[in-house]
Amino acid sequence: MDCFDLCRFLVTVQGNRIMDIKGDPSHPLTRGIICSKGRDLIQRHSHPERLRHPMVRRKSGFVRTTYAEVFDRVAATLASIHDQWGPTGVLNYTSDGYGGVKSRIQSIFFNCLGGDTRFSGSLCWGAGMAAQTFDFGDVQGHLPEDVLNSDLVIVWGRNPKATSLHFYTLLKQAEKNNTRIVIIDPIQSDTAKSLGTHVALKPGTDAALALSMAHVTVTENRYDRSFVQNHILGFDRFCQYLDRFDPETASRITGVSPDTIRKLAREYAAARAPGIWMGYGMQRYANGGNTVR
């Protein structure tokens, strides 16, 4: 269901019909809790309008057909393309959606067929993936449970109460453990209403806020100089660029007060183990890749 949590269900079946779905309490992340989308799978599975047969488009519209006809149609099309263009004439496009063990079975099929053409990046989060590869050489993130190890968590452009129930539960637990949580979002989302401190900025100005936080960190000498000297390239040029984003200037861009920018930057710099959890929205507009960087 396009969810990172990969819930595991305990399913009760009676007379070849699903009667009940419960979360598996032994799952390390979900611990038996499933969201409303998961619970509604029963209704989806047995809905009278659920598509139960293959359909093909005719001049009169979609009509029911057999799997044999569908398989013959697809096989004939693939064979024709292979004969004319070779296996790379077929583009195998896939995205996450379902995250179970069979989510890449079509790749096995095309491998057996002699290969195909595949894409790099993603229509969904390609800008952020490219940004992290530029900066760190790879795309890596925290495990959800890592919020329990942090003393400051910034949830940036993300609404886990609506989109990731189990991560939201971990955030609530972290807050009870005195972890400070900041929600950066243009709107007062469900998460912002119920967790931590909400910092509302104008849409599309995330990079200006981040650069201004960096401006405060550098000008107030709140960074690790030895780490910069030994591991960072281009730091002097970066600092020159930061001169454009003092808190007063950034405030006019973002709508966030200069005092809030300074406070957030100082708290982040002083935290023992701060963590930023980004959402998809910040990379889905012009300059989104550099915003993530």
Side-chain angles (χ1 to χ4, degrees), residues 1 4-5 21 28 100 115 127 132 143-144 148 161-162 178 184 204 207 220 233-234 255 258 261 270 293:
M1 300 301 293
F4 293 115
D5 300 354
I21 292 180
Q132 290 207 319
L143 290 172
L148 302 178
K161 187 173 183 181
N178 296 320
I184 299 178
E220 296 185 0
L233 298 176
I261 295 174
R293 297 188 72 187

Side-chain angles (χ1 to χ4, degrees), residues 168-242:
Y168 175 75
T169 302
L170 287 169
L171 287 171
K172 292 289 287 184
Q173 183 179 343
E175 189 174 51
K176 289 181 180 179
N177 296 339
N178 296 320
T179 297
R180 175 157 162 68
I181 297 177
V182 177
I183 313 297
I184 299 178
D185 199 307
I187 65 172
Q188 191 176 30
S189 66
D190 293 339
T191 304
K193 292 176 183 176
S194 54
L195 267 183
T197 301
H198 178 212
V199 176
L201 77 173
K202 295 177 182 177
T205 64
D206 306 89
L209 176 59
L211 288 165
S212 190
M213 290 172 59
H215 173 92
V216 174
T217 304
V218 170
T219 56
E220 296 185 0
N221 196 27
R222 296 177 182 270
Y223 65 96
D224 187 336
R225 285 183 172 272
S226 62
F227 183 89
V228 168
Q229 291 171 357
N230 294 325
H231 300 288
I232 303 300
L233 298 176
F235 187 71
D236 291 338
R237 288 179 59 197
F238 178 63
C239 291
Q240 292 174 11
Y241 190 72
L242 293 181

Side-chain angles (χ1 to χ4, degrees), residues 49-78:
E49 295 182 9
R50 178 185 175 189
L51 192 63
R52 297 175 180 272
H53 308 281
M55 309 285 282
V56 294
R57 189 197 301 271
R58 310 284 192 199
K59 288 184 178 180
S60 59
F62 283 102
V63 297
R64 178 176 169 178
T65 186
T66 64
Y67 279 106
E69 180 184 353
V70 171
F71 293 154
D72 287 345
R73 279 171 169 258
V74 174
T77 302
L78 287 174

